């Protein structure tokens, strides 16, 4: 006979619920959407990507949701330029917050420059020797991407001939006004010179009437050139004037969502916008490689942002830890596929 006293009894379980893991299935001719959907059967990072795709799709599908996008890091020079420009042109971005570096590299390609495949290290040289050689050859390196320095000369001439003169007549302008004129000039030169590469992010924003905010513009070649031009003209930038329009956009949003690509100033600038409104983000997705344990902003969790009132208590949010050059196109492709269904 069995001893009933030894029979197992299920304990009271507040956290656990019956939800067995499946196994991601991969097959020939599967789509990106199929893959991301399959990630929902798995755990760890795959589950995070699946949740992020769900939230991002909800964000884009809701016509009443105002979508803010932040873009930090070397996203344009490493090949993400068209992904972002297409999102803007297709109406999936209501405001873009980015770096002066991304706008610099965007304009370089718009007017005829090009980034090139390179390498982060050399088989026969130390990293320092490798970069010293590149310095002698007048080539700048962004990890495994090369940019010949003559393209910066092309960019600087573009600013002085096409961008700064119309703004000089206005005197002191906001940074968003500056980025709008940059987009206008990029589009015009790209078409006039029949540049093979597309006009890019700033041009798409200008043509789609989407504002670009660049709060740390001085930390870039774009900002450096603006400062140099201001030394001999009436042109200058007002860093505070943009705050009103951006805050109004957040204040008037029925629902708000944010896609945070990387960290730094663009991430915080996007999140802090909600602090002076009665609202907070309802939907949020971030892609980051930074850990939260250092206390730095770039790795700060979205749950931490909730404590500040930047996210609603009941907001849906997800964080994907990894390289944004891998995960941004993945999330965008999955969301686009779902929206087309």
């Amino acid at each position: 006979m069995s001893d009933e006293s030894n029979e197992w009894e299920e304990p009271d379980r507040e956290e656990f619920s019956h939800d067995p893991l499946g196994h991601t299935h991969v097959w020939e001719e599967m789509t990106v959407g199929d893959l991301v959907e399959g990630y929902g059967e798995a755990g760890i990072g795959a589950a995070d990507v699946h949740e992020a795709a769900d939230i991002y799709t909800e964000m884009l599908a809701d016509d009443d949701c105002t979508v803010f996008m932040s873009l930090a890091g070397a996203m344009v020079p490493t090949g993400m330029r068209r992904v972002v420009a297409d999102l803007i042109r297709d109406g999936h971005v209501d405001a873009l917050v980015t770096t002066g570096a991304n706008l610099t590299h965007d304009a370089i390609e718009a007017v005829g420059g090009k980034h090139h495949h390179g390498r982060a290290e050399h088989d026969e040289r130390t990293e320092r020797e490798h970069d010293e050689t590149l310095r002698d050859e007048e080539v700048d390196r962004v990890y495994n991407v090369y940019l010949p320095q003559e393209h910066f000369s092309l960019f600087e001439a573009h600013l002085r001939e096409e961008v700064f003169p119309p703004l000089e007549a206005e005197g002191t302008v906001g940074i968003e006004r500056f980025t709008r004129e940059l987009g206008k000039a990029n589009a015009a030169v790209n078409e006039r010179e029949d540049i093979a590469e597309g006009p890019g992010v700033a041009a798409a924003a200008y043509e789609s009437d989407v504002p670009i905010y660049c709060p740390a513009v001085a930390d870039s070649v774009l900002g450096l050139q603006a400062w140099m031009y201001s030394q001999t003209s009436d042109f200058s930038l007002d860093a505070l004037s943009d705050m009103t329009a951006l805050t109004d956009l957040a204040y008037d949003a029925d629902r708000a969502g944010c896609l945070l690509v990387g960290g730094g100033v663009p991430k915080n600038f996007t999140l802090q916008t909600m602090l002076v409104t009665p609202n907070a983000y309802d939907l949020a997705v971030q892609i980051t490689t930074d850990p939260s344990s250092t206390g730095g902003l770039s790795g700060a969790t979205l749950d931490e942002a909730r404590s500040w009132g930047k996210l609603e208590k009941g907001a849906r949010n997800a964080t994907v830890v990894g390289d944004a050059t891998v995960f941004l196109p993945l999330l965008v492709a999955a969301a686009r596929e779902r929206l087309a269904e």
Side-chain angles (χ1 to χ4, degrees), residues 316-337:
R316 292 189 68 196
N317 58 275
T319 295
V320 175
V321 178
D323 183 345
T325 64
V326 175
F327 288 109
L328 176 62
L330 193 68
L331 290 177
V332 170
R336 283 185 177 278
E337 188 172 328

Side-chain angles (χ1 to χ4, degrees), residues 11 101 133 142 148 157 159 165 183 186 202 244 248 255 326:
T133 299
V142 180
L159 292 177
N186 289 356
T244 302
D248 286 347
R255 297 183 81 209
V326 175

Side-chain angles (χ1 to χ4, degrees), residues 3 5 77 82 84 165 182 210 218-219 250 273:
D3 185 350
S5 65
R82 186 170 180 178
V84 179
L182 178 65
V210 171
D219 183 30
T273 298

Side-chain angles (χ1 to χ4, degrees), residues 31-34 332-341:
T31 66
V32 173
D34 292 332
V332 170
R336 283 185 177 278
E337 188 172 328
R338 294 182 186 188
L339 291 173
E341 292 177 352

Side-chain angles (χ1 to χ4, degrees), residues 185-199:
N186 289 356
V189 172
N190 188 268
E191 181 178 6
R192 186 177 72 222
E193 302 297 329
D194 194 24
I195 305 298
E197 193 62 61

